[in-house]
Amino acid sequence: MKIFSAAQIRELDKYTIEREPIKSIDLMERAAKAITRAIMDEWTDRSPVVVFAGPGNNGGDGLAVARLLAENGYAVSAYLFNVHNKLSEDCAANRQRLIDCKRLSAFNEISLNFDPPELSAETLVIDALFGSGINKPLMGGFASLVKYINQSACKVVSVDMPSGLMCEDNSYNIRANIVRADLTLSLQQMKLSMLFADCQQYIGRLRVLDIRLSPDYIRDTEVSHRVLEESEIRSMLLPRSDFAHKGDMGHALIIAGSHGMAGAAILATRACMRSGVGKVTAHTPKRNCAILQVAVPEAVVQLDRDETYFSEGVNTDDFDAMAIGPGIGTNENTGIALIGQVNRAQCPVVLDADALNILANHQAWLQQLPKGVIMTPHPKELDRLTGTVSNSDGERLVQAQRLAERLEACILLKGHYSALCLPNGHVLFNGTGNSGMATAGSGDVLTGIITALLARGYNRVNACAVGMYLHGLAGDLAAKDVGKESLVATDIITYLPKAFMQLEE
């Protein structure tokens, strides 16, 4: 699914109107009917409805919805805010249609003073003040209205966007002046800010409504941000020959674990073994030998010379991919061994966990990383790598993009919608996964999966894309059986086979 910018969304509307062809007022009516159906799916006509409409086309949508709900037997009171005596053409047309509607309970056009209605727990508010076109924080009377809505007990449905929320970056928005919706009905496409964790408190549940905007524009327009879909992931899968042997399936090296952190090495190694690779070698300190041999008998265990931590690099000539970082600690000697290991690597490299923490403490080493290195930070790890504390998830994503471009690396920023930032500035979001995966070891599992796919012969972008999708899909399948609260990292590995089978069907 493509993620369009606010400017592209306006162009999509314009293109549809010109090429379908369809009048803009009729396209608005089409959108209003889709919104009305979605509302009627969830609320009966026993719920009193209050519509707050702004002066632009989002307000026009709201006025059309008010009329359609009234015609379907809902008790609707509509408030149109026309404080500058300037409405968009389609908003003005829908104002007249609403005035002509005989079944509307009340219509109020606000130009100066506003006496707000009582919003009880039974009230359904339709928020149609401002949509995707807003580019600055709400102020004045509109900000006061938003606060009034948010402080009430009513249920809120936002049309296209919660009023006050910008489509992309909300780093310097005034958070108190954004509507907190229970349900957001986004028209045709998701907006970028809908993918950010710190915006979910405003969006509530999200539904994307198909209002039949131009498929030609959607297909042909280039975008820098996309959400990966299952069909795309299926097309990336490499076939497995019936005559393959383990030598054909790749050899992966996992450098992980320290004394007391053998679990990280076990999870990464087991996940790697479960992801189609022919052979896995786990390099770990001597004290982890027995537990790793028992926990992952399929793996080759290669012991570091030190008893408790990773202390020296290993030759990578025999390996097709390497991961380093889970559970290795941040010992200074480990740091020196890490940068030496990465510099001598002759295969694709995945850096995770403590490897990222070490690099964050030695910023100059970032310039020594090989081109195409894969890094899998969670948000705080990314902040440490970039040396910044981001004000928002939108700002953090931009930092990840800049880091990917500067290092010519693949930066996989983990989250509900994990974001794969590529050296060319493009971002691929993952749509699988759930909150049950917010548990220790989940990232180690992802590292193992990606490393296996690299060793199998996937290119870096496809290994990351398929890897994060599989990781999330296995987590989703596990959550169905064990629940989100009880899900642990081992469950993700257990359900990897089912995830692979679902993609291969």
Side-chain angles (χ1 to χ4, degrees):
M1 179 191 296
K2 293 181 177 180
I3 304 296
F4 291 132
S5 67
Q8 288 174 319
I9 291 168
R10 290 191 292 272
E11 284 298 315
L12 174 56
D13 283 344
K14 182 180 177 182
Y15 188 96
T16 302
I17 290 166
E18 292 174 351
R19 301 299 177 92
E20 188 166 331
I22 185 174
K23 294 179 180 178
S24 59
I25 188 67
D26 294 333
L27 182 59
M28 184 173 285
E29 187 74 4
R30 182 192 294 174
K33 287 179 178 177
I35 296 164
T36 302
R37 285 193 297 270
I39 293 170
M40 292 175 65
D41 284 344
E42 301 204 30
W43 284 274
T44 69
D45 57 10
R46 292 191 296 274
S47 298
V49 178
V50 174
V51 177
F52 293 124
N57 282 346
N58 192 254
D61 289 333
L63 296 178
V65 170
R67 169 173 46 82
L68 293 169
L69 286 173
E71 290 173 352
N72 280 278
Y74 287 73
V76 181
S77 299
Y79 294 81
L80 171 61
F81 292 85
N82 188 13
V83 293
H84 298 297
N85 197 30
K86 183 180 180 181
L87 302 177
S88 73
E89 183 178 344
D90 291 339
C91 184
N94 268 310
R95 172 183 62 178
Q96 189 57 50
R97 290 181 179 183
L98 188 59
I99 291 171
D100 294 340
C101 177
K102 304 303 182 183
R103 302 190 65 177
L104 189 71
S105 298
F107 175 72
N108 300 273
E109 185 166 348
I110 312 302
S111 58
L112 186 59
N113 296 319
F114 172 53
D115 184 19
E118 180 182 352
L119 303 179
S120 68
E122 289 72 37
T123 306
L124 175 63
V125 166
I126 310 299
D127 159 37
L129 293 170
F130 298 98
S132 60
I134 193 170
N135 57 13
K136 59 184 178 181
L138 296 184
M139 305 294 284
F142 285 116
S144 298
L145 175 57
V146 167
K147 290 174 181 175
Y148 178 72
I149 294 170
N150 288 344
Q151 290 167 4
S152 74
C154 67
K155 296 295 184 183
V156 181
V157 175
S158 286
V159 174
D160 202 29
M161 292 284 289
S163 291
L165 186 67
M166 300 178 206
C167 269
E168 285 122 23
D169 188 9
N170 287 273
S171 299
Y172 300 101
N173 206 339
I174 301 174
R175 300 278 173 162
N177 298 352
I178 303 173
V179 166
R180 293 177 183 268
D182 296 283
L183 173 65
T184 297
L185 300 174
S186 183
L187 301 179
Q188 196 66 52
Q189 305 288 131
M190 291 179 73
K191 284 70 174 176
L192 182 60
S193 60
M194 293 176 175
L195 298 168
F196 299 144
D198 59 359
C199 292
Q200 299 313 304
Q201 60 185 309
Y202 311 109
I203 294 164
R205 287 186 297 117
L206 175 66
R207 284 186 61 183
V208 179
L209 304 181
D210 183 3
I211 59 170
R212 307 196 307 280
L213 297 182
S214 172
D216 293 338
Y217 183 96
I218 294 171
R219 182 190 64 241
D220 297 337
T221 301
E222 291 295 321
V223 296
S224 56
H225 298 73
R226 291 188 294 115
V227 178
L228 291 165
E229 298 180 355
E230 186 167 302
S231 59
E232 188 175 0
I233 297 298
R234 287 175 186 268
S235 71
M236 296 178 185
L237 296 178
L238 293 181
R240 192 178 188 92
S241 169
D242 290 342
F243 293 89
H245 57 79
K246 69 179 180 182
D248 298 327
M249 295 294 101
H251 189 178
L253 171 65
I254 303 288
I255 300 176
S258 57
H259 181 51
M261 292 294 291
I266 291 168
L267 290 168
T269 304
R270 288 184 63 203
C272 195
M273 287 295 325
R274 276 290 189 189
S275 300
V277 70
K279 187 178 179 181
V280 180
T281 293
H283 183 93
T284 196
K286 289 180 180 178
R287 287 197 186 179
N288 291 344
C289 179
I291 188 172
L292 206 63
Q293 293 268 225
V294 172
V296 198
E298 300 90 348
V300 176
V301 177
Q302 183 186 82
L303 298 179
D304 194 273
R305 68 179 180 182
D306 194 273
E307 290 282 332
T308 60
Y309 62 85
F310 171 55
S311 67
E312 62 177 353
V314 298
N315 191 302
T316 61
D317 290 348
D318 294 333
F319 300 104
D320 300 296
M322 176 186 81
I324 181 169
I328 63 173
T330 56
N331 181 293
E332 191 63 29
N333 291 336
T334 296
I336 295 169
L338 165 71
I339 193 62
Q341 179 70 63
V342 172
N343 284 335
R344 71 189 293 184
Q346 300 299 311
C347 59
V349 177
V350 182
L351 300 176
D352 182 36
D354 284 330
L356 304 178
N357 293 326
I358 290 169
L359 291 171
N361 292 329
H362 299 82
Q363 289 284 323
W365 289 356
L366 289 171
Q367 305 310 315
Q368 299 182 40
L369 298 179
K371 292 180 181 179
V373 67
I374 295 168
M375 306 169 79
T376 59
H378 59 57
K380 292 300 182 184
E381 288 170 342
L382 182 79
D383 286 352
R384 291 194 286 269
L385 279 170
T386 59
T388 60
V389 178
S390 297
N391 293 310
S392 70
D393 287 344
E395 186 175 296
R396 184 172 287 111
L397 178 66
V398 171
Q399 292 290 344
Q401 290 178 269
R402 289 174 179 169
L403 186 65
E405 292 179 44
R406 176 162 61 90
L407 300 181
E408 297 184 58
C410 295
I411 308 294
L412 200 167
L413 178 57
K414 293 181 284 196
H416 182 77
Y417 290 103
S418 291
L420 176 59
C421 302
L422 305 179
N424 63 2
H426 287 202
V427 181
L428 303 177
F429 288 98
N430 182 48
T432 60
N434 62 83
S435 59
M437 299 172 70
T439 185
S442 180
D444 302 329
V445 173
L446 175 63
T447 295
I449 296 170
I450 293 173
T451 308
L453 297 175
L454 288 168
R456 275 273 282 116
Y458 287 78
N459 65 46
R460 288 168 172 82
V461 174
N462 287 6
C464 290
V466 174
M468 65 182 182
Y469 192 94
L470 275 168
H471 180 252
L473 180 56
D476 289 339
L477 294 170
K480 287 181 181 179
D481 284 350
V482 304
K484 294 178 183 178
E485 294 295 339
S486 298
L487 197 152
V488 295
T490 301
D491 295 324
I492 303 172
I493 301 172
T494 300
Y495 281 82
L496 266 175
K498 288 188 176 181
F500 270 104
M501 287 190 291
Q502 180 169 315
L503 287 181
E504 293 166 352
E505 287 176 353

